[in-house]
Amino acid sequence: SSFGGGIQYHHNGNSLRFYTDGSNERLRIASDGKIGINIAGSDNTSPVRNLDIADSSGAILRLISTDDSLGANERVGEIEFYTDDDDAAHISSNIKAIADGSDAYGRRGTLTFGTRSDSGDATEKMRITHNGRVGINTVDPKDSLMINQGAIRMLSHDAGGGSGTHCHYLHFPVFMSSGTKQIATVSN
């Protein structure tokens, strides 16, 4: 009979290995708890990070929502960066995919990026909408790039090899509650 698949414990490498389709190793759990998927044919035959995924055409990690009635602004998937700090465990940052708010059926996608300030968990600071608009400190960017209450700092270095650095600030229009706006300015 042929070997269809199996699970083996390897004493010499102190690892647990899962095989399919004969003797093709598909998953390995190393003695330090690190997991490798499809790494047997790669240069790293043991997982280097907590989770290593290898594929000859480039590995893809897919997060799947099984919600068949996904609506506007509902989460499709999320990656959280969590610290188990003794004095204040928290989510320090996250990347979240949500159904775009402009689509009640959840077909359009938006990416949000969150970071943590001084307390609590990470909150959204930037988003890329389904139509490519980027919003910083706003959840509804109206233009290709919209920054709510901020400025962009541009640094230029002395092209002649000197040590001089010049700093320019580009102040974006600020929309006031009265409907007026400040004209963009550039300053040194």
Side-chain angles (χ1 to χ4, degrees), residues 119-142:
S119 62
D121 286 330
T123 58
E124 181 180 332
K125 302 296 189 304
M126 185 178 89
R127 78 170 39 202
I128 303 172
T129 64
H130 76 281
N131 55 8
R133 293 180 178 163
V134 176
I136 299 174
N137 293 325
T138 179
V139 296
D140 188 22
K142 304 292 186 201

Side-chain angles (χ1 to χ4, degrees), residues 153-184:
R153 173 188 273 189
M154 297 176 291
L155 296 176
S156 59
H157 298 279
D158 188 344
S163 61
T165 298
H166 306 285
C167 180
H168 305 279
Y169 290 92
L170 179 60
H171 298 275
F172 283 88
V174 177
F175 293 90
M176 311 299 247
S177 59
S178 65
T180 61
K181 60 182 179 178
Q182 174 184 342
I183 297 173

Side-chain angles (χ1 to χ4, degrees), residues 92-96 112-116 122-126:
S92 67
S93 304
N94 64 16
I95 302 170
K96 187 184 309 184
T112 68
F113 300 83
T115 58
R116 178 181 189 258
T123 58
E124 181 180 332
K125 302 296 189 304
M126 185 178 89

